[in-house]
Amino acid sequence: MSSGPWAKTAVPPAHSLACGDFPLISFPMGRTVVVLGGGISGLAASYYLSRAPCPPKVVLVEGSKRLGGWIRSIRGPDGAIFELGPRGIRPAGVLGAQTLLLVSELGLDSEVLPVRGDHPAAQNRFLYVGGALHPLPTGLRGLLRPSPPFSKPLFWAGLRDLTKPRGKEPDETVHSFTQRRLGPEVASLAMDSLCRGVFAGNSHELSIRSCFPSLFQAEQSHRSVILGLLLGAGQKPQPDSALIRQARAERWSQWSLRGGLEMLPQAFESHLTSSGVHVLRDQPVYGLSLQAEGHWKVCLGDSSLEADHVISAIPASELSKLLPADAAPLAHVLSTITAVSVAVVNLQYQGANLPVQVMMGGSWLHTLEASGCALSQELFLQQAQEAVATQLGLKEQPSHCLVHLHKNCIPQYTLGHWQKMESAMQFLAAQRLPLTLAGASYDGVAVNDCIESGRQAAVRILGTERNS
């Protein structure tokens, strides 16, 4: 890359002016960090930047009229909470504890609604196979006897894993990895369902290294998935708080908030505005250009921002369209990180204690689109009601329903995703670009992963400031 400024910048079709012709929004003296995207990753990055002992000036730019990204909660006519996106967060591991600590810092302890380990929802898991729901086996007894839909006790899958040699490939599809280590039934029944549930994706295409890094690392470190998960890599230090200790003592399987998970981004926003962070809504970004002095110019609809550093917490494919021509290698890599769409249908039935949420999408939606089928709300509602009637026995008409289609909401970490990430990081380092990537496109799609991605982005920038 040349040392001069990047001249080519994407601009909105309605304007013929160059990015530099737009009025420049200036901020007080000091380093300025612009965070692109007001989803949970961008909010977390802004939050951790604002809490630094000597925080930079932070500007959070969101293209829509609301913050929170895919996290959105709606209260129904009788007070029931409908989640249009994620409906629960897992407290397990270091990242789960980190999020619980964040909840306490934001003053939301009293709003937490946990699912304790002794709750039926935590103790019972089902697979829907062959037109019937099958409880997943639990405990030693469940592993030693046949449990439909599996034809053999899962003990044999574990024995297979303990006797198989370590894989030699740097990456593998989830299906191939699971079939090799645990057998074809576990691969086609359990892991395929897990991939659809977590990623709305195809286990024959998704990467084991990127989608389930703990399984990949377990084999690499201990030659066996089971041994690797049991022995682990040693105890990692975890944050501590009263809420974290409560979650461990009660063995929470997941948790939510009384007013819905959207209370979390709302609490973020309250903290940011009170901490002096500039929050710009309804401001789509149309281009990025790097000036001769090393500053970014962030082009908005009718104005621009100047930034010493940019954190991009928008989808990788969107960022690829904003980068200047000199960053074409990076833009190309980012453009290959695709995402799938998911329809969320919330149904409420008279007499039911909680609303029923049905999520459908991924390759199923692609198949429908390819066949020329219109993706209408009526279609999604019909499919959801049929599923609820068949699987849960709720055959009457719902008293209330909400249907939402989230376009390109879950990134797909396909085979070789780790190489894309290495390539992107090498380009950023080699060109010394003041740009940090964060969000679900890169290192995890769960809420905990996204929050950690934002936190790590802030940590890297603050570390750079200390070393400069």
Side-chain angles (χ1 to χ4, degrees), residues 104-157:
S104 296
E105 292 172 353
L106 292 172
L108 293 174
D109 290 51
S110 62
E111 304 296 332
V112 174
L113 288 175
V115 179
R116 296 164 49 117
D118 57 0
H119 193 279
Q123 296 181 335
N124 298 294
R125 294 287 186 270
F126 297 88
L127 282 176
Y128 184 74
V129 178
L133 284 173
H134 302 279
L136 286 174
T138 58
L140 183 60
R141 180 179 298 179
L143 298 177
L144 294 176
R145 62 185 182 187
S147 301
F150 303 102
S151 62
K152 297 179 180 179
L154 289 179
F155 165 80
W156 294 107

Side-chain angles (χ1 to χ4, degrees), residues 206-436:
L206 295 178
S207 156
I208 189 69
R209 179 169 179 163
S210 298
C211 294
F212 301 99
S214 61
L215 302 184
F216 177 81
Q217 290 300 332
E219 182 190 42
Q220 294 298 306
S221 302
H222 298 278
R223 190 188 55 78
S224 159
V225 170
I226 293 176
L227 287 178
L229 294 179
L230 288 175
L231 299 175
Q235 287 292 325
K236 297 181 179 179
Q238 293 196 7
D240 183 56
S241 72
L243 192 62
I244 294 171
R245 291 192 294 272
Q246 181 185 354
R248 291 185 189 136
E250 298 176 355
R251 298 181 296 110
W252 293 2
S253 65
Q254 63 175 348
W255 57 269
S256 185
L257 297 167
R258 293 185 187 280
L261 280 182
E262 194 170 357
M263 292 185 73
L264 183 57
Q266 289 169 349
F268 266 133
E269 182 180 9
S270 296
H271 170 86
L272 295 179
T273 53
S274 65
S275 300
V277 173
H278 299 269
V279 179
L280 305 181
R281 304 167 183 253
D282 202 15
Q283 291 284 352
V285 176
Y286 292 102
L288 298 171
S289 62
L290 196 63
Q291 307 304 294
E293 63 274 18
H295 295 165
W296 285 106
K297 184 161 284 187
V298 182
C299 300
L300 308 178
D302 54 4
S303 61
S304 63
L305 302 171
E306 191 172 272
D308 298 281
H309 200 105
V310 167
I311 295 178
S312 174
I314 60 178
S317 59
E318 291 186 18
L319 176 60
S320 71
K321 301 170 186 176
L322 304 178
L323 293 172
D326 284 356
L330 176 61
H332 173 71
V333 170
L334 297 179
S335 69
T336 65
I337 302 176
T338 59
V340 295
S341 303
V342 171
V344 178
V345 182
N346 282 280
L347 304 172
Q348 186 173 18
Y349 293 86
Q350 292 293 340
N353 292 329
L354 291 171
V356 177
Q357 186 186 62
V358 179
M359 306 181 79
M360 58 190 83
S363 58
W364 177 73
L365 283 186
H366 284 299
T367 302
L368 287 179
E369 286 181 302
S371 66
C373 182
L375 303 182
S376 65
Q377 290 198 354
E378 291 75 19
L379 171 66
F380 297 134
L381 181 58
Q382 175 191 345
Q383 293 284 339
Q385 288 186 254
E386 289 178 0
V388 168
T390 303
Q391 300 177 25
L392 302 180
L394 295 172
K395 298 183 179 181
E396 64 270 23
Q397 288 294 309
S399 59
H400 189 67
C401 61
L402 290 171
V403 181
H404 286 79
L405 175 61
H406 302 299
K407 296 288 289 183
N408 303 320
C409 64
I410 303 184
Q412 300 294 282
Y413 303 161
T414 53
L415 191 65
H417 179 79
W418 69 278
Q419 293 171 310
K420 299 177 184 179
M421 293 304 303
E422 281 198 355
S423 177
M425 294 303 106
Q426 288 170 1
F427 185 89
L428 290 171
Q431 306 302 329
R432 301 177 65 86
L433 292 186
L435 171 66
T436 300

